[in-house]
Amino acid sequence: MSKFDSNYFITMKDIVREGNPILHQATHKVAVPLSSEDKETLICMRNFLKNSQDPTIAKKHKLRAGVGLSANQIGLNKRMFAAYLTDENDRKHEYMLVNPKIISHSVSMIYLPPSEGCLSVDREIQGFVPRYERIKVKGINLDGEEIMLKLSGYSSIVIQHEIDHLNGIMFYDRINKENPFKLPENSRSLY
Ligand code: UDB
Ligand code: ZN
């Protein structure tokens, strides 16, 4: 049994912060079909996101309202993440995905104003983070089935942020060093 079984309650003390090498290196692929341990960890991660978006629970346990969480953010070197969010069209997205890969993307880019943040970053960082406007992502779900997600807008931003984590990339690595508000061509604000 691992620490993060499905009854474990993840709090901010479990979240690894920037500077820890595990956040700055690519994670290892997860064996498929998933072990019950990996499945339980993913459910635990999803539960954290859900709890953190419940104002009463979040206040009691001092949780930041999270929309996505990657395994390396809880100290596990595994290529998997959970996401739990409502998009700009009020659609709900809930994913627990293993070995995700962006297989295609739009040329057009978007960014989330005023900037992104991160559960693993405890400081304000200014600047635009350019993301693909639309992505197709392949991955394996909890049942070991290969699935394909076609995402655009906010959900696309969140999933790119999480896949970046799994590749050892932080959101601020994508901010232009000379001019944090400089953007590539073909990019627009999400809002
Ligand atoms: C977040 N949360 O979870 F519009 F209910 C951010 C933090 C860093 C501010 C906690 C967030 O955007 N919450 C949110 C937004 C809403 C409505 C709502 C909650 N992440 C996830 C993260 O760090 N994953 O590794 C940062 C996001 C910035 C852009 C995409 C992910
Ligand atoms: Zn993050």
Side-chain angles (χ1 to χ4, degrees), residues 68-70 73 117-121 161-162 165 170-171:
L69 183 67
S70 301
Q73 289 183 281
C118 181
L119 289 162
S120 297
V121 177
H161 179 111
E162 300 315 324
H165 274 306
M170 300 292 285
F171 74 94

Side-chain angles (χ1 to χ4, degrees), residues 18-26 72 115-118 121 123 125-131 160-161 163-180 182:
E18 60 175 326
N20 187 315
I22 200 163
L23 288 178
H24 305 277
Q25 62 203 22
N72 50 343
S115 188
E116 294 187 11
C118 181
V121 177
R123 59 196 172 105
I125 294 174
Q126 300 226 19
F128 297 146
V129 183
R131 302 285 187 189
Q160 287 175 74
H161 179 111
I163 292 177
D164 267 355
H165 274 306
L166 301 179
N167 293 331
I169 297 166
M170 300 292 285
F171 74 94
Y172 49 73
D173 297 332
R174 295 197 181 276
I175 298 175
N176 186 288
K177 298 284 176 300
E178 287 80 49
N179 176 1
K182 194 182 146 110

Side-chain angles (χ1 to χ4, degrees), residues 1-188:
M1 265 291 174
S2 77
K3 177 176 176 186
F4 302 106
D5 64 39
S6 46
N7 295 311
Y8 186 85
F9 191 100
I10 297 178
T11 65
M12 298 310 292
K13 70 170 169 13
D14 298 304
I15 311 274
V16 165
R17 304 308 152 95
E18 60 175 326
N20 187 315
I22 200 163
L23 288 178
H24 305 277
Q25 62 203 22
T27 48
H28 293 132
K29 275 193 148 193
V30 173
V32 178
L34 304 203
S35 66
S36 45
E37 216 171 80
D38 287 341
K39 283 188 207 176
E40 291 203 20
T41 299
L42 277 166
I43 291 166
C44 195
M45 291 163 64
R46 188 273 318 272
N47 290 347
F48 164 77
L49 297 173
K50 222 170 172 170
N51 290 332
S52 77
Q53 290 178 36
D54 178 318
T56 310
I57 302 175
K59 194 171 178 205
K60 179 173 173 198
H61 297 278
K62 295 202 174 83
L63 308 177
R64 292 176 77 191
V67 291
L69 183 67
S70 301
N72 50 343
Q73 289 183 281
I74 53 169
L76 303 176
N77 188 340
K78 288 173 186 274
R79 193 168 177 82
M80 60 187 200
F81 72 81
Y84 189 85
L85 63 110
T86 304
D87 71 19
E88 63 274 39
N89 301 308
D90 230 41
R91 289 195 183 95
K92 301 236 186 313
H93 297 252
E94 179 180 331
Y95 307 114
M96 286 168 273
L97 215 57
V98 155
N99 303 337
K101 192 179 159 67
I102 296 175
I103 56 164
S104 67
H105 61 77
S106 60
V107 173
S108 54
M109 314 272 296
I110 47 173
Y111 62 91
L112 182 72
S115 188
E116 294 187 11
C118 181
L119 289 162
S120 297
V121 177
D122 293 326
R123 59 196 172 105
E124 283 280 338
I125 294 174
Q126 300 226 19
F128 297 146
V129 183
R131 302 285 187 189
Y132 303 123
E133 183 167 28
R134 293 178 301 279
I135 53 171
K136 285 195 185 106
V137 177
K138 223 170 59 175
I140 308 286
N141 69 12
L142 278 189
D143 296 324
E145 303 159 341
E146 183 168 280
I147 60 157
M148 165 114 82
L149 306 176
K150 294 171 186 150
L151 303 172
S152 65
Y154 184 61
S155 62
S156 159
I157 292 174
V158 174
I159 286 359
Q160 287 175 74
H161 179 111
E162 300 315 324
I163 292 177
D164 267 355
H165 274 306
L166 301 179
N167 293 331
I169 297 166
M170 300 292 285
F171 74 94
Y172 49 73
D173 297 332
R174 295 197 181 276
I175 298 175
N176 186 288
K177 298 284 176 300
E178 287 80 49
N179 176 1
F181 299 101
K182 194 182 146 110
L183 284 162
E185 301 294 307
N186 316 309
S187 60
R188 63 168 187 92

